[in-house]
Amino acid sequence: MEAVFAVWQRDVIKFFRDKARLLGSFAMPFMFLILFGSGISGAMQAMLGGDSGGGALADFDFVEFMFPGIIGMTVFNTAIFSALSVVQDKEFGYMREILVSPMSRVSIAIGKVLGGTTVAVIQGLMMLVFVPFIGVSISFIMILQLIPTMFLVAFTISAIGLLIASLLKTAQGFQMVIQILLFPMLFLSGALFPLNGLPVWMDIIVKINPLTYSVDMFKDIILDPETMSAPLRQAMGLDIEVFGHVITFLEEAVVVGAIGAVFVVLATIRFSKTEA
Amino acid sequence: MANIVEVNNLKKRYKDLEAVKGVHFAVGESEIFGFLGPNGAGKSTTINMLSTINKPTSGEATINGFHVVSEKNKVRESIGLIFQESTLDEKLTANENLLLHCRFYKVPKEKREERIQEVLEIVDLSDKRKQIVETFSGGMKRRLEIARGLLHYPRVLFLDEPTVGLDPQTRNHIWEYILRLKKKTGITIFLTTHYMDEAEICDRVAVMDHGEVIALDTPDALKTDVGGDIIEIRTADNYQAKTEIESNYHVDVKEADDVLTFQVNRGSEFLVQFVREFSVEILTVNLRRPTLNDVFLHLTGREIREETASKKGRGH
Ligand SMILES: Nc1ncnc2c1ncn2[C@@H]1O[C@H](COP(=O)(O)OP(=O)(O)O)[C@@H](O)[C@H]1O
Ligand SMILES: [Mg+2]
């Protein structure tokens, strides 16, 4: 326990110490939400509802739609890049200090995953500073729902990150692998635009992408789809169907949690083989 | 004297390279034991096997009575390690590095503060406790690592080339700290170096070359084995001088950089007579006790090159 805590604590201390990274983490979401989102939302509105029609889709607010996705993206980015520290520790030598200590490898791996998880949750919550600028309303209850959801998502992604980091020796290699994974996972998750009418092969990728369910959970919490009309929900891509069944929030949580469980085991096994 | 480190026919093979070829030795409690040898001799590989980092290909070793393969964690609790390359987290403060180490090694909470103060005092870093390690000089980082290695009260402290990459003055300081440490705590110190002069502080030295321990004794005994004192002369005619010395005194004369070197017993007495009766004009003359460098030369016919190990290369 002490070991898990120690490894976790180090990552958290370093997260708060790195002011540049902390500030920089707002850059991407800012660009997506304010520049890209606001820019495109006019065009989207024109295409979807039109000014004249005033139909069911007139309420489609693209920035609002994107906000849960941006939270998902932030949690995802932070969690996966937190594993970069594992590779950096190998490069800069600190991994030896860790590995020659009597701590068990399992504790170290768990500490690392929890460290990444914590940092990602904090970072995700920090995205709420955008709330006043984009016209969504966030209640206290929503925040209470967001925290455990973020935790679950961040845990799963951190575990995936640790597995990748355990397989690689250099930070450069790690960054390359993540770049290759990042964009497809992001684009095919519904985080940045609604996924409707996709070709079958793309739809399959969407459905096996853990980020899809993660982002949908954030949308469920923040956008409150219950109160929306069916066509609007449809246009926003909020009803994810798997084998003809519209998947519920709870089912999504189970899917993400299960993926996390599998990866944390794989990552731990793989990490345990790390040579000092 | 009880043996805290025992090594029996320890071997390590990397593919087609036998890095350590079956070494034998034991280190006594509170001893300063040194591994001396050129780069690539197998010093780090041996230390890595003893400290559970590398698995031996065959052979056995125990530290503090614990087996390095089957009782890894017990061994890890018994040793402190200072590697050739830094393993500090430079983004953290000295204090944070030390506190994390306490956690890693389960130092009881109520003892942490006292121990941190104690080890920082040994290496004279008490006033730097709150500073980020990044701002430290190379020597300070080394000292901090030594301090950290002591926090869990190990029985043996392993130092792999502890002064590599440091300037000579800082190197001297590091050795002062190590000697002070030994005096204060009686900890067993196991170190490697390829600097001859540094091996002098050891109680015993194992000379290593090509994966083998080729000699093991106190520095004095090793030097005595070389055979007497060393005389270095420069003359007006080195060729003639060399021939004359070899035929008159039946010793082997080596020539390097214009200097003739040979060994004799009871150098002081010899020198007086030698200068009186030698026919070639002598320009300079020097009499000295053999150094460990002479020991290595004597044993292998080569000098240990005093080049610094490449800083970035992972020499393990
Ligand atoms: N991981 C490794 N794989 C292959 N060869 C290695 C490895 N580590 C060390 N060696 C080789 O083993 C020999 C001994 O190296 P080392 O123990 O680092 O020497 P020293 O510490 O005395 O300079 C060298 O020839 C080195 O190249
Ligand atoms: Mg070495």
Side-chain angles (χ1 to χ4, degrees):
Chain A
M1 241 7 250
E2 183 81 40
V4 175
F5 179 71
V7 174
W8 171 87
Q9 190 192 30
R10 171 167 172 256
D11 277 2
V12 174
I13 293 177
K14 289 181 80 170
F15 171 76
F16 283 111
R17 185 147 304 161
D18 196 347
K19 297 285 185 303
R21 184 179 135 189
L22 217 59
L23 268 177
S25 63
F26 286 100
M28 270 276 270
F30 174 80
M31 280 191 274
F32 270 106
L33 274 177
I34 309 298
L35 304 183
F36 178 75
S38 304
I40 208 167
S41 73
M44 289 288 264
Q45 217 144 11
M47 280 189 294
L48 288 166
D51 303 319
S52 52
L57 301 183
D59 284 340
F60 195 118
D61 183 296
F62 192 70
V63 176
E64 207 178 307
F65 161 84
M66 263 180 83
F67 185 58
I70 294 300
I71 290 185
M73 181 181 95
T74 304
V75 170
F76 177 80
N77 264 337
T78 316
I80 203 135
F81 272 112
S82 71
L84 181 62
S85 70
V86 174
V87 194
Q88 282 172 337
D89 285 347
K90 282 189 218 168
E91 283 190 327
F92 293 111
Y94 197 78
M95 190 52 83
R96 296 192 128 199
E97 157 78 355
I98 294 177
L99 292 179
V100 298
S101 75
M103 293 188 284
S104 80
R105 304 282 154 115
V106 175
S107 313
I108 301 168
I110 302 289
K112 272 285 169 199
V113 171
L114 289 179
T117 307
T118 308
V119 166
V121 170
I122 297 170
Q123 189 94 70
L125 285 173
M126 290 192 329
M127 291 305 120
L128 297 180
V129 302
F130 288 110
V131 164
F133 305 103
I134 55 176
V136 285
S137 60
I138 298 276
S139 66
F140 185 63
I141 301 289
M142 283 184 192
I143 294 177
L144 288 189
Q145 291 170 316
L146 272 175
I147 291 173
T149 312
M150 284 180 182
F151 189 91
L152 184 70
V153 171
F155 181 84
T156 299
I157 306 297
S158 296
I160 296 175
L162 180 63
L163 178 64
I164 297 170
S166 309
L167 293 167
L168 298 172
K169 282 214 167 67
T170 64
Q172 222 179 0
F174 180 82
Q175 263 155 329
M176 216 173 68
V177 172
I178 298 302
Q179 291 303 340
I180 291 169
L181 278 177
L182 190 70
F183 284 103
M185 281 181 82
L186 212 55
F187 288 144
L188 296 178
S189 69
L192 304 176
F193 45 84
L195 301 170
N196 290 320
L198 294 177
V200 175
W201 65 270
M202 264 175 129
D203 196 50
I204 292 174
I205 299 179
V206 169
K207 298 292 157 62
I208 59 172
N209 181 2
L211 211 53
T212 304
Y213 306 104
S214 307
V215 167
D216 196 53
M217 284 193 285
F218 293 131
K219 287 182 187 162
D220 265 353
I221 295 171
I222 295 172
L223 299 180
D224 201 7
E226 312 278 272
T227 63
M228 291 180 180
S229 66
L232 182 58
R233 272 216 311 271
Q234 172 74 33
M236 284 198 173
L238 296 181
D239 298 326
I240 299 175
E241 285 185 22
V242 181
F243 302 120
H245 162 74
V246 177
I247 193 163
T248 66
F249 185 90
L250 196 66
E251 286 163 348
E252 284 173 334
V254 171
V255 169
V256 174
I259 296 173
V262 170
F263 274 99
V264 85
V265 170
L266 291 177
T268 305
I269 292 173
R270 179 57 227 186
F271 180 81
S272 301
K273 298 211 167 88
T274 314
E275 288 236 340
Chain B
M1 191 161 55
N3 287 332
I4 188 113
V5 178
E6 289 199 8
V7 178
N8 217 329
N9 204 17
L10 201 62
K11 286 186 191 170
K12 180 71 185 183
R13 168 177 284 283
Y14 293 113
K15 296 196 183 78
D16 48 355
L17 175 88
E18 200 160 25
V20 176
K21 299 172 180 159
V23 293
H24 275 282
F25 58 87
V27 180
E29 188 101 52
S30 296
E31 196 175 4
I32 301 189
F33 185 86
F35 253 23
L36 174 67
N39 277 323
K43 305 182 298 292
S44 297
T45 306
T46 308
I47 277 210
N48 288 349
M49 287 191 284
L50 296 183
S51 54
T52 76
I53 292 169
N54 284 352
K55 202 173 166 222
T57 309
S58 67
E60 284 200 351
T62 58
I63 309 274
N64 197 17
F66 301 114
H67 204 280
V68 297
V69 176
S70 58
E71 292 169 297
K72 274 204 182 80
N73 275 353
K74 288 285 176 204
V75 171
R76 286 173 182 168
E77 283 165 14
S78 312
I79 62 175
L81 272 170
I82 286 89
F83 294 104
Q84 217 166 315
E85 309 88 11
S86 166
T87 65
L88 294 165
D89 189 332
E90 304 207 348
K91 299 280 180 204
L92 298 179
T93 64
N95 190 53
E96 285 163 342
N97 269 286
L98 297 175
L99 259 180
L100 281 174
H101 188 90
C102 287
R103 293 224 159 90
F104 292 171
Y105 285 80
K106 293 207 180 92
V107 175
K109 228 188 202 89
E110 65 282 2
K111 298 227 172 92
R112 286 175 194 167
E113 178 55 32
E114 184 194 324
R115 289 218 197 160
I116 288 178
Q117 282 180 13
E118 180 190 347
V119 297
L120 282 175
E121 225 157 84
I122 293 179
V123 298
D124 276 347
L125 283 176
S126 302
D127 54 331
K128 300 288 188 307
R129 193 170 162 178
K130 293 274 152 57
Q131 274 189 33
I132 302 271
V133 175
E134 223 169 15
T135 66
F136 282 19
S137 68
M140 284 159 70
K141 286 180 197 167
R142 265 293 94 150
R143 274 145 59 196
L144 180 60
E145 281 197 277
I146 293 173
R148 188 182 63 179
L150 297 170
L151 271 176
H152 55 286
Y153 286 178
R155 302 290 304 277
V156 187
L157 187 66
F158 286 97
L159 300 128
D160 192 3
E161 309 252 6
T163 58
V164 121
L166 300 177
D167 61 80
Q169 200 191 346
T170 316
R171 276 168 55 188
N172 285 338
H173 272 126
I174 296 289
W175 290 115
E176 275 168 35
Y177 290 117
I178 290 174
L179 285 174
R180 192 198 289 186
L181 173 69
K182 146 104 194 258
K183 220 180 251 152
K184 255 189 140 151
T185 63
I187 189 175
T188 307
I189 295 174
F190 189 129
L191 59 91
T192 78
T193 179
H194 68 274
Y195 296 118
M196 293 302 147
D197 48 333
E198 297 189 343
E200 301 275 353
I201 74 154
C202 299
D203 296 321
R204 283 190 311 145
V205 173
V207 182
M208 195 164 199
D209 193 33
H210 295 309
E212 285 171 301
V213 172
I214 52 178
L216 199 174
D217 217 324
T218 62
D220 278 341
L222 286 172
K223 287 184 237 170
T224 308
D225 283 350
V226 170
D229 298 331
I230 290 174
I231 293 180
E232 295 166 326
I233 58 168
R234 285 197 311 126
T235 65
D237 182 350
N238 272 354
Y239 178 77
Q240 163 101 47
K242 189 172 176 198
T243 330
E244 189 174 325
I245 297 166
E246 279 178 343
S247 66
N248 285 1
Y249 306 104
H250 310 288
V251 292
D252 188 22
V253 181
K254 292 199 181 75
E255 183 173 1
D257 297 334
D258 240 15
V259 178
L260 301 178
T261 307
F262 58 99
Q263 288 164 12
V264 292
N265 290 324
R266 310 226 274 153
S268 319
E269 287 93 336
F270 173 87
L271 196 58
V272 176
Q273 186 169 3
F274 171 76
V275 171
R276 202 181 298 139
E277 57 187 38
F278 200 52
S279 73
V280 184
E281 187 192 347
I282 300 173
L283 301 176
T284 60
V285 58
N286 182 32
L287 166 72
R288 61 176 176 83
R289 296 276 304 138
T291 63
L292 285 172
N293 201 21
D294 300 310
V295 171
F296 192 80
L297 188 68
H298 174 76
L299 289 168
T300 66
R302 289 178 292 124
E303 303 215 19
I304 292 194
R305 298 164 317 257
E306 292 265 331
E307 92 265 18
T308 35
S310 64
K311 274 183 212 133
K312 269 280 125 187
R314 313 233 98 183
H316 46 79

